[in-house]
């Protein structure tokens, strides 16, 4: 398993090794000792899976009080996945990182994106449909950024809740620790 740095501190691209033969392939997507030795979390409390149509934009989501780290994997289709650093004391505060996620990347790699606590997360579906699976480090706790989503002229479909959400400038952000 390869752990790659991104432009944002602590956001990582994780590339599991794929072992194949004439029967197909096998990959290990999570291994406690591998994650531990890479400084990644080893305790996840919830797995979530979504199915969405082209143009659906889910996010940007974050939680105050009980922030979630997320390990994101695209099972089917193609998404543009984004993390935004909301840590006020971070040199990357307010910056975002986007990654094209597919079940297998254009270079043939399996990829996941690790988004730590203190980040907003969202994705937009670029294919006809997409299935996304993500593990979280904490459970759901209810409490516009100028992201260049690569929509190619498609108007995104967002939930009423997300449409009514505060903009980045008006948002209630996590306190400085």
């Amino acid at each position: 398993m390869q752990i790659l740095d991104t432009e944002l501190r602590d956001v990582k691209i994780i590339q599991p090794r794929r072992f194949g033969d004439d029967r197909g392939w096998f990959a290990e997507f999570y291994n406690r000792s591998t994650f531990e030795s890479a400084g990644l979390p080893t305790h996840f409390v919830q797995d979530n899976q979504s199915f969405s149509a082209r143009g659906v934009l889910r996010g940007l989501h974050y939680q105050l009080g009980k922030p979630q780290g997320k390990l994101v994997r695209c099972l089917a289709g193609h998404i543009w996945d984004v993390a935004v650093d909301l840590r006020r004391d971070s040199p990357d505060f307010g910056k975002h990182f986007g990654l094209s996620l597919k079940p297998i990347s254009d270079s043939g790699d399996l990829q996941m994106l690790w988004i730590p606590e203190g980040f907003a997360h969202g994705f937009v579906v670029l294919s006809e449909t997409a299935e996304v699976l993500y593990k979280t480090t904490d459970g759901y706790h209810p409490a516009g950024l100028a992201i260049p989503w690569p929509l190619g002229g498609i108007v995104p479909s967002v939930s009423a809740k997300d449409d009514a959400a505060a903009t980045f400038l008006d948002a209630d952000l996590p306190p400085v620790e």
Side-chain angles (χ1 to χ4, degrees):
M1 186 175 296
Q2 275 192 296
I3 314 289
L4 307 172
D5 291 330
T6 68
E7 299 162 17
L8 294 182
R9 286 166 189 41
D10 305 322
V11 173
K12 306 290 183 189
I13 297 170
I14 300 171
Q15 294 181 328
R17 288 186 57 205
R18 190 165 35 136
F19 302 94
D21 58 25
D22 58 350
R23 301 170 298 158
W25 58 266
F26 168 84
E28 183 177 87
F29 284 90
Y30 171 78
N31 179 293
R32 182 178 174 174
S33 63
T34 302
F35 272 55
E36 192 170 61
S37 65
L40 296 171
T42 59
H43 181 73
F44 293 94
V45 301
Q46 186 171 313
D47 282 1
N48 300 313
Q49 185 170 345
S50 68
F51 176 83
S52 307
R54 179 190 305 275
V56 169
L57 193 153
R58 295 194 183 269
L60 292 161
H61 298 138
Y62 64 96
Q63 296 187 169
L64 296 174
K66 294 182 128 195
Q68 291 179 319
K70 294 180 180 176
L71 181 61
V72 183
R73 180 167 176 242
C74 185
L75 299 174
H78 180 199
I79 65 170
W80 180 255
D81 203 25
V82 172
V84 181
D85 193 341
L86 299 181
R87 303 171 299 178
R88 289 185 188 270
D89 58 345
S90 169
D92 293 331
F93 175 70
K95 294 180 182 174
H96 71 275
F97 171 77
L99 179 67
S100 174
L101 272 181
K102 299 176 182 177
I104 297 177
S105 73
D106 291 341
S107 59
D109 295 313
L110 299 172
Q111 290 184 324
M112 298 183 293
L113 187 63
W114 165 244
I115 303 166
E117 295 173 355
F119 284 74
H121 170 249
F123 64 87
V124 67
V125 178
L126 301 176
S127 52
E128 286 302 312
T129 61
E131 288 187 57
V132 177
L133 176 71
Y134 58 97
K135 302 175 91 50
T136 65
T137 58
D138 207 337
Y140 175 64
H141 179 68
L145 289 167
I147 304 295
W149 301 104
L151 292 168
I154 297 170
V155 176
S157 173
V158 298
S159 70
K161 175 183 158 195
D162 287 350
D163 194 39
T167 65
F168 182 69
L169 294 176
D170 298 327
D172 187 12
L173 297 175
V176 176
E177 294 182 13

